[in-house]
Amino acid sequence: MDDDEKFKSDLGAGTEFGSESSWTHLGADSDDVDGVYFFSAGDRENSILSEFGWNFHQEDDDQPSRAAAEAEPLERSVDLAEGADFRSTEPETAAPIGSSASNNPSVSSSSSEDPPEKSTGSGGKPPPEIPNKVKKKGQKRMRQPRFAFMTKSEVDHLEDGYRWRKYGQKAVKNSPFPRSYYRCTNSKCTVKKRVERSSEDPTTVITTYEGQHCHHTVGFPRGGIIAHHEAAAFPGCHFPPPISKFYYPTIHSTMSTTTETSNNNSDHLLTNIMARSNQVVSSEAGDSGHVVVKESTSTTTSDLVLPVPDEGLLGDIVPPGMRSR
DNA sequence: CGACTTTGACCAGCGC
DNA sequence: GCGCTGGTCAAAGTCG
């Protein structure tokens, strides 16, 4: 199907993600960690997350993050997607499974998230024309941008405004908790997500999104939104939606060092941000006012230390395809 | 009856 | 080449 191919090629032709080169290296600090990087909250994170279409609304202005997001999410979002540059490159690098990250739960789990989309294969069924199965033998799999985050939550499957169909579950090595695989129920949407619990912190749910929605939210079971009018604008997923106009409705995060899970499923506080392209980045709240972001590459894991923002500093995180209500 | 979940099997990638 | 592991499929079961 060309739509998918096109989308994939678009992804591949996206912006180069070379941010790390500009991060301040602080030196190695752990076994499987290459080094620590520092960069101030704001532009840098924005640029990083922007690669995925996530938006950090700077809240150092006069508006509270949530209020801002709810009040005028569409206007405030950065237009990273508008230029089609939110797509990160998906080099042919194949991040080895569980290569690094042995001591950090978040990294550990995230480093094992590489080949999201397998090639046809399975079951020896004739490959209809399933979008993600373009993989040919001898050719590196083209991966879509991934972004993951960890939340303290009692529920595995966080409500995000989209409808997901579970298509698999696997036991994860070195983890008592299984990993669940979901894909967007929209037949034309190839977005997938994986949900698993941290083996070291069962209260932490690691959610990894892959790909970008080519449609808008379909609504909330709780009785929230129903498809937005823009949805009609992407009937065939020929191009990504104006992601800048989206924001994650259920994660009004402010990246705080301490996180709580509300009883309300819609109020999970985002505690970590991870992933970028084939490199999965995780993070965890550290002490002394920083958020330690673990970056797991194919063979190494690096720490990125983000200053923990005051409430609302980083504002709302806006994953691709996540639309405000 | 349609949508969704469960679950065992299959396949591909990777390391040894 | 082999085994391990992650990712996916699809039949069967469940639910509303």
Side-chain angles (χ1 to χ4, degrees), chain A residues 49 54-56 247-248 251 253 255 270 273 315-319:
Chain A
L49 291 167
W54 287 59
N55 291 334
F56 270 146
Y247 85 98
Y248 202 45
I251 299 181
S253 168
M255 281 186 76
L270 180 61
I273 301 170
D316 295 304
I317 293 172
V318 187

Side-chain angles (χ1 to χ4, degrees), chain A residues 29-34 98-109 111 174 198-201 282 284 294 301-303:
Chain A
D29 67 340
S30 67
D31 303 348
D32 47 357
V33 168
D34 263 357
S99 51
S100 59
S102 52
N103 55 353
N104 186 307
S106 57
V107 174
S108 176
S109 50
S111 60
N174 296 327
S198 169
S199 59
E200 295 193 16
D201 182 7
S282 69
E284 59 183 21
K294 298 279 188 180
T301 297
S302 301
D303 280 357

Side-chain angles (χ1 to χ4, degrees), chain A residues 4 36 103 310:
Chain A
D4 189 58
V36 179
N103 55 353
D310 292 332

Side-chain angles (χ1 to χ4, degrees), chain A residues 23-303:
Chain A
W23 293 338
T24 304
H25 187 224
L26 299 183
D29 67 340
S30 67
D31 303 348
D32 47 357
V33 168
D34 263 357
V36 179
Y37 298 79
F38 247 115
F39 58 91
S40 59
D43 293 346
R44 190 66 65 189
E45 297 95 280
N46 274 340
S47 66
I48 294 174
L49 291 167
S50 292
E51 298 294 338
F52 301 95
W54 287 59
N55 291 334
F56 270 146
H57 297 282
Q58 290 294 337
E59 293 298 343
D60 43 353
D61 49 26
D62 41 23
Q63 302 186 58
S65 62
R66 180 166 309 198
E70 293 180 336
E72 44 180 351
L74 307 189
E75 289 73 20
R76 293 178 53 77
S77 302
V78 181
D79 284 342
L80 9 113
E82 305 284 14
D85 275 348
F86 62 90
R87 303 158 230 168
S88 62
T89 47
E90 287 299 272
E92 50 290 7
T93 38
I97 302 170
S99 51
S100 59
S102 52
N103 55 353
N104 186 307
S106 57
V107 174
S108 176
S109 50
S110 34
S111 60
S112 64
E113 1 222 3
D114 15 329
E117 40 190 306
K118 280 293 198 165
S119 46
T120 342
S122 78
K125 330 153 181 51
E129 47 180 334
I130 302 174
N132 278 349
K133 330 182 137 182
V134 219
K135 256 275 68 236
K136 294 285 193 297
K137 213 169 183 181
Q139 184 178 12
K140 288 288 187 179
R141 189 178 308 124
M142 186 79 91
R143 274 178 300 232
Q144 298 191 11
R146 289 179 296 165
F147 32 90
F149 50 82
M150 299 167 64
T151 57
K152 291 271 191 179
S153 175
E154 296 171 7
V155 290
D156 290 346
H157 197 184
L158 307 180
E159 178 56 51
D160 60 8
Y162 287 91
R163 294 179 65 79
W164 301 90
R165 171 169 298 183
K166 188 175 185 177
Y167 66 89
Q169 177 173 307
K170 286 281 287 188
V172 181
K173 188 186 178 185
N174 296 327
S175 175
F177 307 103
R179 173 183 297 160
S180 297
Y181 299 88
Y182 299 85
R183 81 164 45 100
C184 184
T185 57
N186 186 314
S187 59
K188 293 173 181 174
C189 182
T190 61
V191 177
K192 298 172 190 171
K193 78 172 179 181
R194 280 169 293 184
V195 177
E196 64 189 290
R197 284 192 176 276
S198 169
S199 59
E200 295 193 16
D201 182 7
T203 64
T204 298
V205 177
I206 302 171
T207 304
T208 305
Y209 286 89
E210 180 183 337
Q212 308 195 14
H213 292 283
C214 59
H215 59 100
H216 290 189
T217 53
V218 293
F220 290 105
R222 299 192 304 277
I225 358 174
I226 303 298
H228 284 267
H229 62 281
E230 290 95 336
F234 318 105
C237 297
H238 286 287
F239 56 91
I243 284 171
S244 62
K245 294 184 176 181
F246 290 74
Y247 85 98
Y248 202 45
T250 62
I251 299 181
H252 289 158
S253 168
T254 53
M255 281 186 76
S256 59
T257 50
T258 57
T259 57
E260 301 293 337
T261 299
S262 164
N263 291 329
N264 187 323
N265 193 22
S266 67
D267 275 325
H268 301 286
L269 291 182
L270 180 61
T271 63
N272 304 279
I273 301 170
M274 326 186 293
R276 62 185 235 193
S277 304
N278 58 320
Q279 299 177 324
V280 178
V281 177
S282 69
S283 67
E284 59 183 21
D287 45 68
S288 67
H290 290 90
V291 172
V292 179
V293 180
K294 298 279 188 180
E295 176 188 14
S296 173
T297 63
S298 57
T299 56
T300 67
T301 297
S302 301
D303 280 357

